[in-house]
Amino acid sequence: MMTRKTPFLIAALLGLWAAPAAAQQTIKIGLVAPMTGAFAAAGQSHATGAEMRVKEINAAGGKYKIELLVEDDASNCNQSTNATVKLITQDKVQAVLGAVNSPCALAMVPITQRYKVPQFTSGVGTAITQQGSEWVFRIAVAATGQTKVLSEFAVKTLKHEKVAILYSDDEYGASMANGFKAGLAALNLQPAAMEIFPRNDQDFTGQLTSVKRSGATALYAVGAYTASALIAKQAKQLGMNLQLLGDTGNASPKYIELGGDAVEGAVLVEPFTPADPDAKNQEFVQRYKSQFGREPDGWVAEVYDTVGMIHEAVTKADKADPKVIRDHVAAFTEGSPYKGMLGNWAFDKAGDASFPLYKVQIKNGAKTILAR
């Protein structure tokens, strides 16, 4: 026998029954990056880019929130691999961002492949996406793409035909140097000089002396932004008047800070620049600056977009699962892209992303767009 209170009682019970189904669930994302050491600025860009997007997603509510777990690898590849195993086996993350450095990202590939967890790296070393793993995605323009753009711009636009290459003895340096050499060869040119240096070296006098003897008018220095800034300073001390060229690694604000007057006039390529006056771009710059007190760089934007991709994958499938994320991201094509701060994201069969690169020049300690 129903009473007047019965409908209200049933409604209350139904509400209690439905409550657990509406409870918020968690997507766990691990980040492996150098939060300390010589490459800390790059690690901070990755961490803050991820943190910014995580805060926005969590503040918006919805069924799935994100938990970001950050591991400091200090650019030590043994620490990178140990951190990756911990994040996957102990913390149970559904995706891993990292590593920043190409050699460390490469060392992580067998681990993410073994455990079948998607890995998203900004490492540009060519070999990273050539290991036969369907679980690794490069969220930056690869070495060959960057160096093709940079070498063509140096020769065709800046009119330099004698370009020297100075590179670090690791996967990143070798990939970039060989890519730039191939870019010159496509233009029927050879490097004026091609010199190598140990990754942690701080004295480049010998290599720069060879560059000076070569008659080079431009120098592509590739390695850590800390090394590139030192190279610029030492070249100036040797009285060398060179057009400096740099890839996305030198697009960090730290390169300008460390290089000072020595990097004035340097021409760089980057996927995102705070110099772009576009309203959407400037709104993003201001939001980032209000939280972290500096301008965002390409690394910030790359990781910001990647966190968005991961969240989209899970919410669309309604399942926080590594394979769901992998399959969703692998399906991004030019005809069906992910739309983010960097524009339309698509990945090829190897897991490489591609998007346009700005050509910028450092003038008065700030970046000015030359072309896109």
Side-chain angles (χ1 to χ4, degrees):
M1 178 176 174
M2 295 183 66
T3 68
R4 296 177 65 184
K5 293 183 179 180
T6 301
F8 297 100
L9 187 58
I10 292 172
L13 288 170
L14 286 172
L16 288 171
W17 182 265
Q24 200 170 37
Q25 297 181 37
T26 301
I27 307 166
K28 287 188 174 183
I29 300 176
L31 172 67
V32 179
M35 307 309 296
T36 56
F39 301 89
Q44 290 292 340
S45 288
H46 284 71
T48 53
E51 181 185 335
M52 181 175 171
R53 191 71 183 109
V54 167
K55 284 181 178 178
E56 292 172 357
I57 289 170
N58 291 349
K63 184 173 180 179
Y64 290 94
K65 66 177 182 179
I66 297 177
E67 181 182 353
L68 181 67
L69 297 94
V70 179
E71 291 285 336
D72 177 15
D73 68 359
S75 299
N76 180 303
C77 297
N78 286 332
Q79 290 179 219
S80 303
T81 54
N82 290 338
T84 304
V85 172
K86 174 186 177 293
L87 287 167
I88 294 172
T89 62
Q90 296 181 33
D91 298 318
K92 308 298 182 183
V93 299
Q94 282 91 36
V96 176
L97 308 177
V100 172
N101 300 98
S102 292
C104 299
L106 183 60
M108 289 166 57
V109 171
I111 298 170
T112 54
Q113 182 180 20
R114 182 192 318 152
Y115 289 105
K116 294 181 170 56
V117 173
Q119 174 187 351
F120 300 88
T121 178
S122 59
V124 298
T126 305
I128 295 171
T129 54
Q130 295 183 350
Q131 303 305 301
S133 173
E134 62 176 11
W135 294 91
V136 62
F137 296 92
R138 193 197 310 278
I139 58 171
V141 177
T144 51
Q146 289 194 42
T147 51
K148 182 178 185 295
V149 169
L150 187 58
S151 57
E152 285 185 353
F153 194 76
V155 175
K156 293 183 177 181
T157 303
L158 302 179
K159 306 300 182 185
H160 287 279
E161 294 191 351
K162 290 188 175 182
V163 185
I165 303 172
L166 181 51
Y167 66 103
S168 56
D169 64 347
D170 55 19
E171 172 63 24
Y172 168 49
S175 293
M176 286 298 202
N178 289 329
F180 196 91
K181 182 180 180 181
L184 290 177
L187 300 169
N188 297 314
L189 296 171
Q190 291 295 320
M194 195 162 180
E195 298 288 327
I196 191 169
F197 62 88
R199 184 183 183 192
N200 296 315
D201 206 1
Q202 294 189 342
D203 182 3
F204 309 96
T205 307
Q207 293 92 334
L208 286 171
T209 299
S210 295
V211 170
K212 191 172 185 177
R213 288 173 183 159
S214 74
T217 59
L219 173 64
Y220 173 45
V222 54
Y225 54 82
T226 48
S228 295
L230 272 175
I231 288 168
K233 283 187 167 183
Q234 291 175 21
K236 187 175 181 179
Q237 289 167 0
L238 289 170
M240 300 171 72
N241 183 23
L242 295 166
Q243 171 62 64
L244 298 178
L245 305 169
D247 53 59
T248 57
N250 286 358
S252 167
K254 272 289 183 182
Y255 174 69
I256 301 175
E257 179 186 327
L258 295 171
D261 292 343
V263 300
E264 186 72 12
V267 172
L268 318 170
V269 292
E270 60 180 346
F272 174 90
T273 181
D276 189 337
D278 175 76
K280 180 183 176 183
N281 189 88
Q282 287 304 310
E283 192 272 337
F284 178 79
V285 170
Q286 292 308 315
R287 280 192 290 120
Y288 182 84
K289 284 179 70 175
S290 68
Q291 293 182 53
F292 303 105
R294 67 174 178 88
E295 291 185 334
D297 53 31
W299 289 321
V300 170
E302 288 168 357
V303 178
Y304 178 92
D305 278 357
T306 303
V307 172
M309 291 179 206
I310 294 168
H311 183 257
E312 180 184 272
V314 171
T315 53
K316 282 192 173 183
D318 196 14
K319 186 178 182 181
D321 177 77
K323 189 174 188 303
V324 161
I325 296 168
R326 193 221 78 85
D327 291 349
H328 184 77
V329 174
F332 290 138
T333 62
E334 291 184 7
S336 180
Y338 174 80
K339 298 181 183 298
M341 279 307 305
L342 293 180
N344 293 339
W345 284 78
F347 292 91
D348 64 17
K349 291 181 179 179
D352 286 315
S354 62
F355 28 76
L357 293 170
Y358 293 91
K359 276 70 73 175
V360 301
Q361 187 168 38
I362 299 171
K363 293 183 178 180
N364 299 317
K367 294 173 185 174
T368 300
I369 297 175
L370 298 178
R372 190 178 190 186

PDB file of all heavy atoms in Angstrom, residues 4 22 33 40 64 68 95 114 135 143 153 166 182 221 226 239 247 261 272 275 292 314 325:
ATOM      1  N   ARG A   4       1.518   8.785   0.789  1.00  0.00           N
ATOM      2  CA  ARG A   4       1.930  10.014   0.116  1.00  0.00           C
ATOM      3  C   ARG A   4       3.444  10.175   0.159  1.00  0.00           C
ATOM      4  O   ARG A   4       4.029  10.873  -0.653  1.00  0.00           O
ATOM      5  CB  ARG A   4       1.245  11.220   0.760  1.00  0.00           C
ATOM      6  CG  ARG A   4      -0.278  11.193   0.588  1.00  0.00           C
ATOM      7  CD  ARG A   4      -0.937  12.348   1.280  1.00  0.00           C
ATOM      8  NE  ARG A   4      -0.552  13.617   0.681  1.00  0.00           N
ATOM      9  CZ  ARG A   4      -0.935  14.810   1.148  1.00  0.00           C
ATOM     10  NH1 ARG A   4      -1.718  14.883   2.196  1.00  0.00           N
ATOM     11  NH2 ARG A   4      -0.546  15.915   0.550  1.00  0.00           N
ATOM     12  N   ALA A  22      27.999   7.833 -10.517  1.00  0.00           N
ATOM     13  CA  ALA A  22      28.381   9.177 -10.907  1.00  0.00           C
ATOM     14  C   ALA A  22      29.680   9.630 -10.238  1.00  0.00           C
ATOM     15  O   ALA A  22      30.132  10.737 -10.466  1.00  0.00           O
ATOM     16  CB  ALA A  22      27.264  10.159 -10.566  1.00  0.00           C
ATOM     17  N   ALA A  33      60.944  13.529 -16.156  1.00  0.00           N
ATOM     18  CA  ALA A  33      61.605  14.724 -16.689  1.00  0.00           C
ATOM     19  C   ALA A  33      62.680  15.201 -15.720  1.00  0.00           C
ATOM     20  O   ALA A  33      62.625  14.903 -14.526  1.00  0.00           O
ATOM     21  CB  ALA A  33      60.579  15.837 -16.915  1.00  0.00           C
ATOM     22  N   ALA A  40      67.087  21.254 -16.182  1.00  0.00           N
ATOM     23  CA  ALA A  40      65.896  21.452 -15.360  1.00  0.00           C
ATOM     24  C   ALA A  40      64.873  22.385 -16.000  1.00  0.00           C
ATOM     25  O   ALA A  40      63.665  22.223 -15.800  1.00  0.00           O
ATOM     26  CB  ALA A  40      66.293  21.976 -13.979  1.00  0.00           C
ATOM     27  N   TYR A  64      35.856  12.044 -15.199  1.00  0.00           N
ATOM     28  CA  TYR A  64      37.258  11.673 -15.032  1.00  0.00           C
ATOM     29  C   TYR A  64      38.128  12.876 -14.662  1.00  0.00           C
ATOM     30  O   TYR A  64      38.152  13.881 -15.369  1.00  0.00           O
ATOM     31  CB  TYR A  64      37.797  11.046 -16.322  1.00  0.00           C
ATOM     32  CG  TYR A  64      37.223   9.682 -16.603  1.00  0.00           C
ATOM     33  CD1 TYR A  64      36.101   9.543 -17.420  1.00  0.00           C
ATOM     34  CD2 TYR A  64      37.786   8.530 -16.040  1.00  0.00           C
ATOM     35  CE1 TYR A  64      35.559   8.287 -17.678  1.00  0.00           C
ATOM     36  CE2 TYR A  64      37.249   7.280 -16.295  1.00  0.00           C
ATOM     37  CZ  TYR A  64      36.136   7.162 -17.110  1.00  0.00           C
ATOM     38  OH  TYR A  64      35.604   5.917 -17.358  1.00  0.00           O
ATOM     39  N   LEU A  68      48.463  13.676 -11.689  1.00  0.00           N
ATOM     40  CA  LEU A  68      49.777  13.766 -12.327  1.00  0.00           C
ATOM     41  C   LEU A  68      50.854  13.357 -11.334  1.00  0.00           C
ATOM     42  O   LEU A  68      50.954  13.916 -10.242  1.00  0.00           O
ATOM     43  CB  LEU A  68      50.032  15.197 -12.813  1.00  0.00           C
ATOM     44  CG  LEU A  68      51.361  15.460 -13.528  1.00  0.00           C
ATOM     45  CD1 LEU A  68      51.416  14.725 -14.868  1.00  0.00           C
ATOM     46  CD2 LEU A  68      51.556  16.965 -13.744  1.00  0.00           C
ATOM     47  N   ALA A  95      49.374   6.286 -18.713  1.00  0.00           N
ATOM     48  CA  ALA A  95      50.207   6.879 -19.771  1.00  0.00           C
ATOM     49  C   ALA A  95      51.445   7.481 -19.139  1.00  0.00           C
ATOM     50  O   ALA A  95      51.424   7.901 -17.971  1.00  0.00           O
ATOM     51  CB  ALA A  95      49.434   7.945 -20.542  1.00  0.00           C
ATOM     52  N   ARG A 114      56.947  -3.222 -23.349  1.00  0.00           N
ATOM     53  CA  ARG A 114      56.753  -4.467 -22.597  1.00  0.00           C
ATOM     54  C   ARG A 114      55.470  -4.429 -21.771  1.00  0.00           C
ATOM     55  O   ARG A 114      54.703  -5.400 -21.731  1.00  0.00           O
ATOM     56  CB  ARG A 114      57.939  -4.714 -21.670  1.00  0.00           C
ATOM     57  CG  ARG A 114      57.862  -6.026 -20.879  1.00  0.00           C
ATOM     58  CD  ARG A 114      58.904  -6.056 -19.769  1.00  0.00           C
ATOM     59  NE  ARG A 114      60.180  -5.527 -20.208  1.00  0.00           N
ATOM     60  CZ  ARG A 114      61.076  -4.938 -19.395  1.00  0.00           C
ATOM     61  NH1 ARG A 114      60.809  -4.799 -18.101  1.00  0.00           N
ATOM     62  NH2 ARG A 114      62.221  -4.494 -19.873  1.00  0.00           N
ATOM     63  N   TRP A 135      53.635   1.683 -29.090  1.00  0.00           N
ATOM     64  CA  TRP A 135      53.236   2.349 -27.849  1.00  0.00           C
ATOM     65  C   TRP A 135      53.938   3.688 -27.634  1.00  0.00           C
ATOM     66  O   TRP A 135      53.737   4.340 -26.615  1.00  0.00           O
ATOM     67  CB  TRP A 135      53.487   1.422 -26.653  1.00  0.00           C
ATOM     68  CG  TRP A 135      52.610   0.215 -26.702  1.00  0.00           C
ATOM     69  CD1 TRP A 135      52.887  -0.994 -27.289  1.00  0.00           C
ATOM     70  CD2 TRP A 135      51.283   0.117 -26.197  1.00  0.00           C
ATOM     71  NE1 TRP A 135      51.814  -1.841 -27.178  1.00  0.00           N
ATOM     72  CE2 TRP A 135      50.817  -1.196 -26.506  1.00  0.00           C
ATOM     73  CE3 TRP A 135      50.443   0.983 -25.504  1.00  0.00           C
ATOM     74  CZ2 TRP A 135      49.545  -1.640 -26.138  1.00  0.00           C
ATOM     75  CZ3 TRP A 135      49.171   0.545 -25.143  1.00  0.00           C
ATOM     76  CH2 TRP A 135      48.736  -0.758 -25.461  1.00  0.00           C
ATOM     77  N   ALA A 143      63.738  15.127 -35.667  1.00  0.00           N
ATOM     78  CA  ALA A 143      64.991  15.760 -36.076  1.00  0.00           C
ATOM     79  C   ALA A 143      65.012  16.060 -37.576  1.00  0.00           C
ATOM     80  O   ALA A 143      65.386  17.156 -37.995  1.00  0.00           O
ATOM     81  CB  ALA A 143      66.169  14.854 -35.714  1.00  0.00           C
ATOM     82  N   PHE A 153      65.857  27.326 -44.568  1.00  0.00           N
ATOM     83  CA  PHE A 153      65.700  28.740 -44.220  1.00  0.00           C
ATOM     84  C   PHE A 153      67.062  29.434 -44.170  1.00  0.00           C
ATOM     85  O   PHE A 153      67.212  30.577 -44.620  1.00  0.00           O
ATOM     86  CB  PHE A 153      64.990  28.868 -42.867  1.00  0.00           C
ATOM     87  CG  PHE A 153      64.492  30.260 -42.581  1.00  0.00           C
ATOM     88  CD1 PHE A 153      63.362  30.752 -43.203  1.00  0.00           C
ATOM     89  CD2 PHE A 153      65.163  31.076 -41.685  1.00  0.00           C
ATOM     90  CE1 PHE A 153      62.903  32.041 -42.939  1.00  0.00           C
ATOM     91  CE2 PHE A 153      64.717  32.361 -41.414  1.00  0.00           C
ATOM     92  CZ  PHE A 153      63.583  32.849 -42.047  1.00  0.00           C
ATOM     93  N   LEU A 166      78.093  21.991 -35.117  1.00  0.00           N
ATOM     94  CA  LEU A 166      78.777  21.611 -33.880  1.00  0.00           C
ATOM     95  C   LEU A 166      77.752  20.884 -33.020  1.00  0.00           C
ATOM     96  O   LEU A 166      76.728  21.458 -32.637  1.00  0.00           O
ATOM     97  CB  LEU A 166      79.300  22.873 -33.176  1.00  0.00           C
ATOM     98  CG  LEU A 166      80.082  22.731 -31.876  1.00  0.00           C
ATOM     99  CD1 LEU A 166      81.216  21.729 -32.011  1.00  0.00           C
ATOM    100  CD2 LEU A 166      80.621  24.096 -31.448  1.00  0.00           C
ATOM    101  N   ALA A 182      72.002  16.361 -44.149  1.00  0.00           N
ATOM    102  CA  ALA A 182      71.171  15.873 -45.249  1.00  0.00           C
ATOM    103  C   ALA A 182      70.381  17.013 -45.881  1.00  0.00           C
ATOM    104  O   ALA A 182      70.184  17.051 -47.102  1.00  0.00           O
ATOM    105  CB  ALA A 182      70.222  14.789 -44.748  1.00  0.00           C
ATOM    106  N   ALA A 221      74.618  25.019 -33.799  1.00  0.00           N
ATOM    107  CA  ALA A 221      75.109  24.343 -32.596  1.00  0.00           C
ATOM    108  C   ALA A 221      73.961  23.552 -31.987  1.00  0.00           C
ATOM    109  O   ALA A 221      72.915  24.117 -31.658  1.00  0.00           O
ATOM    110  CB  ALA A 221      75.643  25.364 -31.594  1.00  0.00           C
ATOM    111  N   THR A 226      72.032  24.680 -22.604  1.00  0.00           N
ATOM    112  CA  THR A 226      73.128  25.203 -21.785  1.00  0.00           C
ATOM    113  C   THR A 226      74.431  25.202 -22.579  1.00  0.00           C
ATOM    114  O   THR A 226      75.204  26.164 -22.543  1.00  0.00           O
ATOM    115  CB  THR A 226      73.293  24.351 -20.509  1.00  0.00           C
ATOM    116  OG1 THR A 226      73.306  22.962 -20.871  1.00  0.00           O
ATOM    117  CG2 THR A 226      72.137  24.581 -19.544  1.00  0.00           C
ATOM    118  N   GLY A 239      86.065  36.267 -31.161  1.00  0.00           N
ATOM    119  CA  GLY A 239      85.918  37.270 -32.211  1.00  0.00           C
ATOM    120  C   GLY A 239      85.203  36.769 -33.449  1.00  0.00           C
ATOM    121  O   GLY A 239      85.372  37.323 -34.541  1.00  0.00           O
ATOM    122  N   ASP A 247      67.642  24.743 -33.177  1.00  0.00           N
ATOM    123  CA  ASP A 247      66.385  24.012 -33.276  1.00  0.00           C
ATOM    124  C   ASP A 247      65.520  24.297 -32.055  1.00  0.00           C
ATOM    125  O   ASP A 247      65.796  25.213 -31.287  1.00  0.00           O
ATOM    126  CB  ASP A 247      66.660  22.512 -33.443  1.00  0.00           C
ATOM    127  CG  ASP A 247      67.582  21.978 -32.363  1.00  0.00           C
ATOM    128  OD1 ASP A 247      67.234  22.090 -31.174  1.00  0.00           O
ATOM    129  OD2 ASP A 247      68.669  21.462 -32.700  1.00  0.00           O
ATOM    130  N   ASP A 261      73.902  38.637 -24.536  1.00  0.00           N
ATOM    131  CA  ASP A 261      74.227  39.346 -25.786  1.00  0.00           C
ATOM    132  C   ASP A 261      74.783  38.417 -26.861  1.00  0.00           C
ATOM    133  O   ASP A 261      74.653  38.695 -28.058  1.00  0.00           O
ATOM    134  CB  ASP A 261      75.254  40.455 -25.521  1.00  0.00           C
ATOM    135  CG  ASP A 261      74.672  41.589 -24.692  1.00  0.00           C
ATOM    136  OD1 ASP A 261      73.429  41.667 -24.605  1.00  0.00           O
ATOM    137  OD2 ASP A 261      75.451  42.382 -24.144  1.00  0.00           O
ATOM    138  N   PHE A 272      55.710  26.596 -31.132  1.00  0.00           N
ATOM    139  CA  PHE A 272      54.859  27.578 -30.463  1.00  0.00           C
ATOM    140  C   PHE A 272      55.736  28.747 -30.068  1.00  0.00           C
ATOM    141  O   PHE A 272      56.864  28.551 -29.622  1.00  0.00           O
ATOM    142  CB  PHE A 272      54.228  26.962 -29.207  1.00  0.00           C
ATOM    143  CG  PHE A 272      53.445  27.951 -28.371  1.00  0.00           C
ATOM    144  CD1 PHE A 272      52.105  28.162 -28.601  1.00  0.00           C
ATOM    145  CD2 PHE A 272      54.080  28.679 -27.372  1.00  0.00           C
ATOM    146  CE1 PHE A 272      51.389  29.095 -27.841  1.00  0.00           C
ATOM    147  CE2 PHE A 272      53.384  29.606 -26.616  1.00  0.00           C
ATOM    148  CZ  PHE A 272      52.035  29.808 -26.856  1.00  0.00           C
ATOM    149  N   ALA A 275      55.516  35.103 -29.290  1.00  0.00           N
ATOM    150  CA  ALA A 275      55.557  36.282 -30.162  1.00  0.00           C
ATOM    151  C   ALA A 275      54.373  36.339 -31.123  1.00  0.00           C
ATOM    152  O   ALA A 275      54.113  37.385 -31.721  1.00  0.00           O
ATOM    153  CB  ALA A 275      56.865  36.294 -30.955  1.00  0.00           C
ATOM    154  N   PHE A 292      52.748  30.796 -13.630  1.00  0.00           N
ATOM    155  CA  PHE A 292      54.135  30.361 -13.474  1.00  0.00           C
ATOM    156  C   PHE A 292      55.169  31.480 -13.616  1.00  0.00           C
ATOM    157  O   PHE A 292      56.358  31.232 -13.484  1.00  0.00           O
ATOM    158  CB  PHE A 292      54.439  29.236 -14.469  1.00  0.00           C
ATOM    159  CG  PHE A 292      53.505  28.066 -14.327  1.00  0.00           C
ATOM    160  CD1 PHE A 292      52.493  27.840 -15.254  1.00  0.00           C
ATOM    161  CD2 PHE A 292      53.608  27.212 -13.236  1.00  0.00           C
ATOM    162  CE1 PHE A 292      51.619  26.779 -15.119  1.00  0.00           C
ATOM    163  CE2 PHE A 292      52.738  26.138 -13.086  1.00  0.00           C
ATOM    164  CZ  PHE A 292      51.738  25.918 -14.033  1.00  0.00           C
ATOM    165  N   VAL A 314      40.020   8.904 -22.900  1.00  0.00           N
ATOM    166  CA  VAL A 314      39.361   8.198 -21.798  1.00  0.00           C
ATOM    167  C   VAL A 314      37.884   8.567 -21.707  1.00  0.00           C
ATOM    168  O   VAL A 314      37.017   7.699 -21.525  1.00  0.00           O
ATOM    169  CB  VAL A 314      40.080   8.487 -20.467  1.00  0.00           C
ATOM    170  CG1 VAL A 314      39.289   7.935 -19.286  1.00  0.00           C
ATOM    171  CG2 VAL A 314      41.480   7.897 -20.489  1.00  0.00           C
ATOM    172  N   ILE A 325      43.795   4.681 -24.728  1.00  0.00           N
ATOM    173  CA  ILE A 325      44.531   5.917 -25.011  1.00  0.00           C
ATOM    174  C   ILE A 325      45.386   5.748 -26.260  1.00  0.00           C
ATOM    175  O   ILE A 325      45.384   6.593 -27.150  1.00  0.00           O
ATOM    176  CB  ILE A 325      45.404   6.308 -23.799  1.00  0.00           C
ATOM    177  CG1 ILE A 325      44.525   6.627 -22.589  1.00  0.00           C
ATOM    178  CG2 ILE A 325      46.303   7.497 -24.141  1.00  0.00           C
ATOM    179  CD1 ILE A 325      45.281   6.747 -21.278  1.00  0.00           C
TER     180      ILE A 325
END
